[in-house]
Structures are given as C-alpha cells and as structure tokens.
Amino acid sequence: KELPAIMGGLDELKNKIMDIHKKFKPSVIGIIGTALSEVRGEDIQEIISNIKSPIKTFGDMFQISNFESEILYIPSPDYSGGFGDCYAKAIEAIAGSMAEPGPVIPNLINILPSASLTIGDIEEIKEMVSAFSLKPIVLPDLSLSMDGSKEKYSILPLAGSQLHEIKLMGLAAATVAIGETMQKAGEILNQKCNTPLYMF
C-alpha cells in the first residue's frame, strides 16, 4: 500500500492524509520526503497548504471537514546526509512550527538530544536536570516510549514528548543542545522565541 505514495502519487498522499485524519484525529501528521519524491520534484508543500480545500479524485469531491491536524513536512532524501541529519531535520521542523513565544518560565529548560544518545543517556540527563529543581522538556523524549516498559499494544507510540510541552519550549529559560546536529534546532528556538542556546 505504501508503494504508490513512495512512487510519487500526489493523490495517494492526499488520500493517506485523509485516512489518517479520519482514523486517528492526530494533533500532528508528519510527512517524511523520500529521495524519489525529491528528485521528481513533487510539490509536497503545495499539498499541505491546500489540504483543507476540496480534493478531487476520480470525478468525486472530497472535503476534509474540521481538519485540525498540523502537518509537518520533513524533506529527508537518503542521498543528503545520514540518519543524524534527517533526525535533526525532524526536530527542526517540530520546534520551528510548534514552539510558541511568550513570557519566560524560569525553571523550564529545553533539552535537544542528538541521535547518538541512548535512552539511558536521556533518562540520566532528565534526572540530573530535575535534581536542580528544573523542569526539562526533551525533544524528542524517547526514554519512556522505547525503554521496553510498554504495558499494552498500540500501533502509535505512547508517552514521549507531549504536544502541549513542545508548545511551551518557546517559554523556556534556556535550550541545551547536545551534539552538533542539534545546533540548528536550538538556533530556530533562539530566533523564533529568543530562548538562549547552550551547546554541548
């Protein structure tokens, strides 16, 4: 079923977005670009910007009513960089579109861990930050969703970074970026929300 979308079927992508929205009503839908869609020059951004308008397929008209999901496009062709680079692009897209500026919350600290950190590393960092009476927002926080403690089956990951927390990242007193690939995401938060950036 994935092949038509991967091969560049724009109508297929629209249909998949509609199916996901209808079935799960997610707050955010992520679209990860492939090398093929990039080389073919598919205009994914155009689809995203027009997704609420009527979609014509085989002469029938479909309308996504009450479409509230945010759609993020992450161009990540495999000919451009490696896993860490695409991971970083995803974090940049999330931070850039979700974080909202506002009054600073003094004990709130953003943590941007690079792809090289393990789940154990992230748990340890959260414990250290919390020991200083600070509240860490980790993006992404895989420590709870991938530590093997899942109690029930779900086709979607449980726990992790919550949407309301990601929106609060713009109010943090500081951002700590761990790893060079996280620098741009930290700079995006700095430029958009004036959050001081500290690199490790």
Side-chain angles (χ1 to χ4, degrees):
K1 288 185 177 181
E2 292 83 3
L3 193 59
I6 292 170
M7 294 299 288
L10 296 184
D11 282 337
E12 188 67 24
L13 178 57
K14 292 175 186 177
N15 291 334
K16 292 294 181 198
I17 291 171
M18 287 196 297
D19 289 345
I20 290 168
H21 183 265
K22 209 179 292 181
K23 190 171 183 180
F24 299 109
K25 297 280 189 290
S27 301
V28 181
I29 298 173
I31 299 173
I32 301 173
T34 63
L36 192 55
S37 62
E38 294 288 317
V39 170
R40 286 171 51 106
E42 301 288 5
D43 197 348
I44 309 293
Q45 290 289 9
E46 182 67 18
I47 289 177
I48 292 170
S49 62
N50 293 327
I51 198 67
K52 293 183 184 180
S53 63
I55 298 171
K56 191 175 232 179
T57 311
F58 305 116
D60 296 323
M61 213 59 142
F62 296 93
Q63 175 79 41
I64 302 179
S65 58
N66 302 320
F67 192 91
E68 296 173 356
S69 301
E70 175 124 19
I71 302 176
L72 299 180
Y73 176 55
I74 301 140
S76 53
D78 55 7
Y79 58 76
S80 175
F83 168 74
D85 300 294
C86 295
Y87 171 99
K89 285 179 185 176
I91 305 309
E92 290 159 19
I94 293 167
S97 65
M98 303 279 177
E100 298 172 353
V104 173
I105 301 173
N107 68 330
L108 198 63
I109 303 294
N110 299 326
I111 309 289
L112 303 176
S114 72
S116 63
L117 270 65
T118 67
I119 289 80
D121 294 331
I122 294 171
E123 286 178 350
E124 185 71 18
I125 289 165
K126 283 166 63 177
E127 285 179 20
M128 284 190 286
V129 171
S130 298
F132 286 90
S133 299
L134 300 170
K135 161 76 174 138
I137 296 178
V138 181
L139 182 67
D141 187 355
L142 305 176
S143 64
L144 296 175
S145 59
M146 296 186 71
D147 67 352
S149 62
K150 187 184 271 191
E151 294 177 1
K152 62 180 182 177
Y153 173 76
S154 171
I155 60 172
L156 298 174
L158 302 173
S161 309
Q162 300 297 309
L163 185 60
H164 71 276
E165 292 179 318
I166 296 170
K167 289 182 176 179
L168 286 175
M169 292 181 81
L171 313 182
T175 298
V176 176
I178 304 170
E180 188 178 352
T181 55
M182 293 292 97
Q183 181 170 349
K184 188 173 177 185
E187 289 172 348
I188 288 170
L189 285 170
N190 175 259
Q191 290 161 10
K192 182 179 180 183
C193 306
N194 204 29
T195 310
L197 170 63
Y198 298 91
M199 286 294 305
F200 284 88

